[in-house]
Amino acid sequence: MAMAAFASVFMGNSLEGGLLLAMFNLAHIAEEYFTGRSMIDVKELKENHPEFALVLDTSGDKLPNTFDLAYKSVPVHDVIVGSYILVGAGESVPVDCEVFQGSATITIEHLTGEIKPLEAKVGDRIPGGARNIDGRIIVKATKTWNESTLSRIVQLTEEAQLNKPKLQRWLDEFGEHYSKVVVVLSVAIAVIGPILFKWPFISTPACRGSVYRALGLMVAASPCALAVAPLAYATAISSCARKGILLKGGHVLDALASCHTIAFDKTGTLTTGGLLFKAIEPIYGHNVRNNESNIASCCIPTCEKEALAVAAAMEKGTTHPIGRAVVDHSEGKDLPSVSVESFEYFPGRGLIATVNSIESRTGNAKLLQASLGSVDFITSFCQSEEESEKIKEAVTLIHLEDRPRPGVYNVIQELQNEAKLRVMMLTGDHESSARRVANAVGISEFHCNLKPEDKLSHVKDISRDTGGGLIMVGEGINDAPALAAATVGIVLAHRASATAIAVADVLLLRENISAVPFCIAKSRQTTSLIKQNVALALFCITMASLPSVLGFLPLWLTVLLHEGGTLLVCLNSIRALNEPSWSWKKDLLQLIGEVKSRLLPLRTNIKGSSNITTASL
């Protein structure tokens, strides 16, 4: 543009040269505005988070004095875990924390898209960045600033917008070579034009010169529109962040759009994960198993208490849904005292521990080996078939019940009917539990009794056999290998393990999977917009270049067409902020509906004005 402007001045068209630069700068101001629109959510988050926290004074490890509320202002980056913080009405929670005293109404709409305000009371966990609408609370910091939800959202979203997908990297490389080719062609037209086509070198009143035409080509064929074509990626990432969906780069959108299969973990993903403890009993009861067996009844009628005490001691402090259900059920019950001497965890399978100080019926303490898991897991450590049979007779069954998440059935139906995806469930639970949940949520294909390595194998096999990508949705450490091997790994970040979060491509901040269909629809919308942008950019370049070389367009009109094409690409990219749909027909119908809704009030006003005029006459 600078070369074209100076050349215009040199040829005596100073007004046209100035107009070129003015139009070019105005167009780029508009481009920066549209680019800024795609980053606005992150900017708002960074501007609105508190810079300081009101940390209550404490002496040693004592609780804070909640009467005089002596506090000091501490930079939010210096707040340490365990600090007690005062959060008043209208203020934002500085870091992830737990309510220690008081209650308040908070909003996390800007973090997760959850519109409904939430009631925060003692014991509730609150993400950093949540806004206190009313009330005053004292909270205890559970994470530092760098580990808190708000910081993680800002960091991941900024990294995602800087992490260029394959197409964007290709366009950047193409643009560098393309620009050089355009300059060479422009010089060639300026030099060869007078020889081949008898054009004058410098423009005359009768004919535009070859230099003028070459400048027109240089302006028209500039790759500005191609350069901004990937803007739809950044816009889509921002749109997802507004819904509480964090993507680890624009390449995730391309990967999501290419997938044909989606697999769900069961516990904590399709279900609430809040298992209910239903019953505990010996595998054969307290009576003789049956008349055909020589095996006598189980130990004693109080064996359930001993088994529950052992299980609760082994699961104490766990975050696994099964462990939480066992520990919660044991609280407040009169159980024997049990201590765990040694402990070994087998991910996705079970636990083994040496327990001590069981109050037996003889009154003496025992040192026992205890196992918690499926019957197959427990008997897998037996040295012989006879020992395995004996162990099976001593097993005590714990009955747990899990419930599907609200709205999961509708999510599965949308993925099957609208997204046309093959939907399956991968779980480590036994067949009866897996079948019950699968039937409840509308999944016909499920695989059960899977260890972490089995899930990994299934993901690899399905991806290879179907020839398309696979999406894995989970939340536990058991899912980490499958999440890493899947084309796209999606986790519920609120309760996911650190390992699952590290290997996942998409983090859902809301406590449900309703955002999964939105992610897939948004990815397809974005890839469609990118293709439209590239086609639109090439069309505008062609439509501006050919008339300019043929001498039909003046430079100022060439610039207008060129920059107009660039702005059209920007406007098309901003459409990624809209709600996605599953087909272009629905998009068209939605657009027609919006146009009608806007035209109807206008027609009503015109008709009303006409009636008033007639009456006055």
Side-chain angles (χ1 to χ4, degrees):
M1 287 295 179
M3 291 174 64
F6 287 125
S8 295
V9 174
F10 177 76
M11 290 185 296
N13 300 323
S14 56
L15 179 61
E16 190 172 47
L19 186 61
L20 294 184
L21 292 179
M23 293 174 63
F24 179 74
N25 286 327
L26 286 174
H28 275 268
I29 289 173
E31 290 171 28
E32 290 178 2
Y33 166 76
F34 288 121
T35 304
R37 280 284 306 274
S38 70
M39 304 286 286
I40 192 168
D41 293 314
V42 180
K43 290 179 180 177
E44 288 180 353
L45 286 174
K46 294 176 73 174
E47 291 171 358
N48 293 334
H49 79 73
E51 296 182 359
F52 296 91
L54 303 180
V55 179
L56 300 182
D57 291 333
T58 57
S59 55
D61 296 329
K62 294 182 179 180
L63 297 179
N65 185 346
T66 57
F67 294 100
D68 58 15
L69 293 179
Y71 57 81
K72 57 184 176 181
S73 183
V74 176
V76 68
H77 295 277
D78 297 333
V79 174
I80 61 175
V81 175
S83 300
Y84 292 90
I85 304 169
L86 177 66
V87 182
E91 297 178 350
S92 295
V93 178
V95 295
D96 287 9
C97 58
E98 182 179 300
V99 179
F100 172 72
Q101 185 185 74
S103 62
T105 303
I106 63 171
T107 176
I108 54 175
E109 180 180 358
H110 56 299
L111 299 178
T112 67
E114 178 60 56
I115 300 177
K116 184 180 178 181
L118 306 175
E119 295 297 326
K121 54 187 182 299
V122 174
D124 289 346
R125 291 184 176 272
I126 305 177
R131 293 175 186 151
N132 184 2
I133 300 176
D134 59 44
R136 188 176 69 171
I137 52 177
I138 297 174
V139 299
K140 183 178 181 180
T142 57
K143 292 182 180 179
T144 62
W145 161 252
N146 291 332
E147 298 173 336
S148 289
T149 300
L150 178 59
S151 174
R152 188 169 57 184
I153 292 175
V154 173
Q155 179 183 357
L156 287 177
T157 305
E158 287 182 336
E159 288 178 357
Q161 291 173 333
L162 293 175
N163 189 3
K164 297 180 179 180
K166 184 177 180 180
L167 176 62
Q168 187 171 359
R169 294 196 302 270
W170 182 86
L171 285 174
D172 289 345
E173 295 175 2
F174 172 78
E176 294 179 7
H177 302 296
Y178 173 82
S179 299
K180 297 174 184 178
V181 172
V182 169
V183 173
V184 171
L185 285 176
S186 300
V187 173
I189 288 174
V191 175
I192 301 174
I195 300 173
L196 294 180
F197 305 105
K198 307 303 179 181
W199 296 333
F201 189 71
I202 302 296
S203 298
T204 65
C207 182
R208 290 191 171 98
S210 62
V211 173
Y212 193 90
R213 297 168 191 252
L215 292 177
L217 175 63
M218 190 181 299
V219 170
S222 177
C224 295
L226 282 174
V228 298
L231 178 61
Y233 283 119
T235 309
I237 290 171
S238 179
S239 175
C240 288
R242 183 184 296 175
K243 296 282 188 179
I245 304 166
L246 303 187
L247 308 177
K248 294 184 179 179
H251 65 282
V252 176
L253 293 166
D254 290 338
L256 276 169
S258 68
C259 292
H260 302 147
T261 307
I262 183 167
F264 290 90
D265 173 49
K266 183 180 79 69
T267 306
T269 303
L270 290 175
T271 63
T272 61
L275 293 172
L276 296 177
F277 195 103
K278 301 296 292 183
I280 181 171
E281 61 182 0
I283 194 168
Y284 292 124
H286 294 289
N287 300 316
V288 176
R289 185 179 62 172
N290 56 53
N291 296 330
E292 299 177 358
S293 173
N294 295 324
I295 299 174
S297 61
C298 84
C299 46
I300 55 171
T302 59
C303 69
E304 294 99 329
K305 287 189 175 182
E306 290 190 359
L308 180 59
V310 171
M314 293 172 67
E315 294 283 14
K316 188 175 182 180
T318 186
T319 58
H320 194 280
I322 292 177
R324 289 199 303 266
V326 171
V327 173
D328 291 345
H329 183 73
S330 67
E331 291 180 354
K333 291 183 171 55
D334 183 20
L335 301 176
S337 176
V338 177
S339 63
V340 177
E341 299 294 321
S342 62
F343 185 91
E344 189 173 3
Y345 173 53
F346 297 83
R349 302 183 65 192
L351 314 172
I352 289 181
T354 301
V355 295
N356 198 359
S357 300
I358 296 179
E359 297 173 0
S360 67
R361 58 184 181 275
T362 60
N364 299 321
K366 296 180 180 179
L367 187 64
L368 299 174
Q369 184 81 16
S371 302
L372 185 62
S374 66
V375 174
D376 291 338
F377 167 74
I378 293 173
T379 57
S380 65
F381 297 94
C382 297
Q383 302 297 322
S384 64
E385 186 67 27
E386 182 180 357
E387 182 182 357
S388 176
E389 290 298 324
K390 289 182 178 180
I391 290 294
K392 286 182 180 180
E393 304 299 339
V395 168
T396 299
L397 293 179
I398 296 176
H399 297 269
L400 302 169
E401 184 179 85
D402 198 3
R403 292 167 294 178
R405 289 180 179 274
V408 168
Y409 180 84
N410 294 332
V411 169
I412 300 301
Q413 293 304 305
E414 185 174 4
L415 292 173
Q416 291 175 335
N417 301 330
E418 300 291 346
K420 307 300 181 184
L421 291 175
R422 174 187 176 190
V423 182
M424 65 179 61
M425 182 177 73
L426 306 179
T427 178
D429 285 2
H430 53 80
E431 183 178 359
S432 60
S433 176
R435 187 179 300 279
R436 179 180 60 82
V437 173
N439 291 336
V441 301
I443 295 178
S444 57
E445 182 179 357
F446 65 91
H447 303 273
C448 53
N449 297 314
L450 301 179
K451 298 185 283 292
E453 56 268 28
D454 297 328
K455 287 187 180 181
L456 175 61
S457 178
H458 270 75
V459 168
K460 290 182 177 180
D461 292 343
I462 293 167
S463 298
R464 182 183 64 252
D465 296 341
T466 59
L470 180 141
I471 304 167
M472 179 68 196
V473 186
E475 52 89 42
I477 191 172
N478 301 338
D479 305 318
L483 288 167
T487 308
V488 178
I490 301 178
V491 300
L492 299 173
H494 181 74
R495 60 192 307 163
S497 66
T499 306
I501 290 176
V503 301
D505 302 293
V506 181
L507 307 181
L508 306 182
L509 299 183
R510 289 188 181 184
E511 183 58 12
N512 57 56
I513 62 170
S514 61
V516 173
F518 178 89
C519 283
I520 298 170
K522 177 62 69 176
S523 69
R524 296 182 183 179
Q525 177 197 47
T526 305
T527 54
S528 176
L529 289 176
I530 293 295
K531 294 175 183 177
Q532 294 171 24
N533 285 350
V534 173
L536 188 60
L538 293 175
F539 176 77
C540 291
I541 288 174
T542 303
M543 293 302 294
S545 299
L546 289 178
S548 297
V549 173
L550 296 175
F552 297 150
L553 298 179
L555 271 178
W556 67 268
L557 187 54
T558 302
V559 173
L560 185 62
L561 289 175
H562 171 267
E563 295 303 335
T566 304
L567 291 179
L568 283 177
V569 171
C570 291
L571 286 169
N572 196 50
S573 297
I574 293 300
R575 289 174 56 208
L577 291 174
N578 299 334
E579 288 290 320
S581 64
W582 294 111
S583 67
W584 64 269
K585 292 181 180 179
K586 289 186 178 181
D587 281 335
L588 183 60
L589 291 174
Q590 182 179 359
L591 179 62
I592 294 173
E594 291 179 359
V595 172
K596 285 183 177 179
S597 64
R598 293 183 180 182
L599 289 178
L600 184 61
L602 182 62
R603 291 178 60 186
T604 304
N605 291 337
I606 293 174
K607 184 177 180 181
S609 300
S610 176
N611 291 337
I612 292 172
T613 303
T614 303
S616 63
L617 290 174

